[in-house]
Amino acid sequence: MLISSIYKIPIVILLLSGSLFFLGLYPDISTIIGGVALFLIGMEYMEGGFKAFSGSFLEKILEKFTNTTPKAISTGFFTTALVQSSSLVSIIIISFLSAELISLTSAVGVIFGSNIGTTTTAWLVSLFGLKIKISIYAMPMIIVGIFIPMFLKESSWKGIASILIGLGIIFLGIGYMKEGFEILKEGIDLAQYAMSGYAGIFTYVLVGIIATIVIQSSSATMAIIITALATGQIEYTNALALAIGANLGTTVTAVLAALKSNENGKRLAVAHFIFNMTTGIIAIVFIYQLAELVDYIAMIIGIGIKNYTLKLALFHTIFNVIGVIVVSPFIGTLVAFLNKLFVSKKQSKGKSKYLDDSALGLPSTALSAVIMETKHLYENAFGIIARGLNLKKKNILSSMDLDDVVADLYTSDTIDIDDFYNYWIKGIYGEIIDFSTKAQINMAPEYAEELYKLKLANRDIVEAIKGTKHLQKNLLKYTSGRNRYIKEQYDDIRKSLAKLLRNIHTISTSNEEDVIILLLSKSKIHAERDDIIANGTLDRLIRKGLINNQMATSLMNDSDYAYRISQNLIAMAEVLFIDIDSDLKKLHVDMGISDEEAKSIVQKKDHS
Amino acid sequence: MDIKKFIKSVKSTLGLKGFNQEGKKKSLKELLKKLNRRKKSVTELLKTSLDEKEEKELKEELEIVSLQIKKGKKILYKLYAKK
């Protein structure tokens, strides 16, 4: 490995020196490529800025407004137009799909809309990029962007600063591209290579595809096409073909990136590919009719007949809109095909379902993935705890009277909780911790704090299982024994934990704040009330000689385990089942009943 | 004017100063409304004939809800006092 790297160094140095020598000989080409490089750097800055600035806002929009196909398409369009990055939108969508926050149909809709959204880049470059005076706009943007973080330390301000720097650098890049093409025109006139007819269209489509694959950004390719067109280095019809090529080229980039992705990433990349291929074929076949349509619409909206750059932007938008109109009715068929093409691997119960590296791209999606996976962990834990208490899970989740739930035993044998722990919990728990460690590296403090609480919730789940394991030993022995007093006590423990599991299930499925806050408070009070050492039950049983010393010590220890299981599960529910962005999260801290208050309510009752 | 003062004045001009508090107040009022409705229905239910277990549970619920309403009101007064 090291030796092969050593061999590569001279080759890289040789290539770099060759490129520098070549670029030195041709300063015009060097200026154009430099402009493209600046454009790409600017895009990176803008994407990073939007990530920091929008926080969870962008994700919230993408999650909430995608339930119907028209909504998904519109949301895809607006978000991409706003952040000027279809790759950022794709990252969020793939992570949402992995976390099952949106359906594949909605995701495909967003990607379609996002395709129209990317066409706004061409409008921005044509409208502002070419006309803007760099000294008046671009430079001040960069300067302000550099100074903002010195005074304003919040991440949203840093995001705004990055957006400003990014925009400034993009305009700077466009300026250099334009300058490069103008200098180049004095030497060679590329327009002499213009080709007419379908031969020209196919050739320029191919050039557009190759350029986009090499640059890895259709926006940058579009910027080159527009600046070249503005300086008269390419002809209008050839520019239209290049734009179609850029659209096709971007799907190749997406497919290549998806090879490393999960099934969801692959499904979306193929949907994107099919969409762009269909759109591209339509655009190539009807290119002359579309050009006429562009002229007609341009006349209506007041774009000059010689304003080729704006007409190109209009063409880019029109053929993408047509693509959406043509393909959208077949989204259902497309989704069915994609699901058949990439069949999800059967999930083993002990493997993580939502932790995908694609979710690490944004702190909020990483947090969503950890929340979903912790819920998955709890679901498995619920099964283990129910079995450990010799209860049937379906009975707990039903409205069955708790006395009947306790009477209906899961098994008459012992179950090995360690086995269940190893198969259902250990792997997922490890993966959550590993994923969280990776996620927290670049997290803002507010996200890191939530992630820390989630880690504690995970630990609470694991502790609750361990407690159940200890509890189970005597539970089976005394619930099947002959002493009815000790049996009653162990059944009471089972009943109170069954009630807690039922309450937590209601909390996890309820949207009513008063129900959630009430059940959490009730659960705290019940945990205190059922503590047999505190409520005097144990003393009474010993005093009356109803249980022997061995039973008493077992009951004392097991009651403590049950109390701790309750505490662990309540603490976990407070973190996991109250939406982190909801107002209830803020209010619950102030309005929920504290442990001291729960104790005092129980004491009051005991005295009365 | 230093930068902190400047941001403060911008926030107050744009009405962003008590933005979080306004949101919290609104949610709290909404929650208090729900809790009051629940308190009323539990009180009504307690007037009907119930078995001992049901009565005990409802009384407990009433106690919790009353405590939460009391706490909620206290927070609301504080928020108004801040304003």
Side-chain angles (χ1 to χ4, degrees), chain A residues 57-76:
Chain A
F57 180 67
L58 191 62
E59 291 92 286
K60 278 254 164 299
I61 293 174
L62 284 167
E63 191 190 334
K64 306 271 178 209
F65 302 104
T66 48
N67 53 346
T68 63
T69 306
K71 264 195 202 173
I73 294 172
S74 313
T75 307

Side-chain angles (χ1 to χ4, degrees), chain A residues 58-59 61-81 85-86 88-94 96-97 102-118 268 271-272 275 324 328 331:
Chain A
L58 191 62
E59 291 92 286
I61 293 174
L62 284 167
E63 191 190 334
K64 306 271 178 209
F65 302 104
T66 48
N67 53 346
T68 63
T69 306
K71 264 195 202 173
I73 294 172
S74 313
T75 307
F77 166 72
F78 283 115
T79 47
T80 309
S85 168
S86 58
L88 176 59
V89 174
S90 300
I91 288 169
I92 300 171
I93 289 300
I94 293 173
F96 277 8
L97 265 180
I102 61 166
S103 67
L104 184 58
T105 313
S106 299
V108 171
V110 172
I111 294 299
F112 286 1
S114 176
N115 247 46
I116 305 175
T118 51
L268 271 192
H272 199 186
F275 171 78
V324 170
S328 292
I331 282 188

